Amino acid sequence: MPLVAIVLAALAVGFEQVLQWRFGTMGIIAFVALTVGIKARNGLLSGIGAVVLVLLLAQPG
């Protein structure tokens, strides 16, 4: 079990670093809003985070 937790934490940190590198601060804010909204079962917050991430991914170039 601890090995799985370490691997998942490493993947999460890696994903956050990719978001930071590719989309900057707004990508991190959107990712945090999405994860906090999902954990808190808050549809509005997770929806906002998801929409912002989609908008960032849909940007040309």
Side-chain angles (χ1 to χ4, degrees):
M1 182 67 177
L3 181 61
V4 173
I6 291 172
V7 170
L8 287 175
L11 287 174
V13 169
F15 185 68
E16 286 181 20
Q17 290 298 319
V18 168
L19 278 175
Q20 177 70 26
W21 169 71
R22 174 112 168 116
F23 302 114
T25 306
M26 201 60 184
I28 294 295
I29 291 171
F31 180 68
V32 168
L34 179 63
T35 54
V36 169
I38 289 172
K39 289 192 184 270
R41 296 183 189 246
N42 185 338
L44 179 65
L45 187 59
S46 61
I48 290 171
V51 167
V52 172
L53 277 177
V54 167
L55 289 174
L56 288 171
L57 289 170
Q59 286 181 352

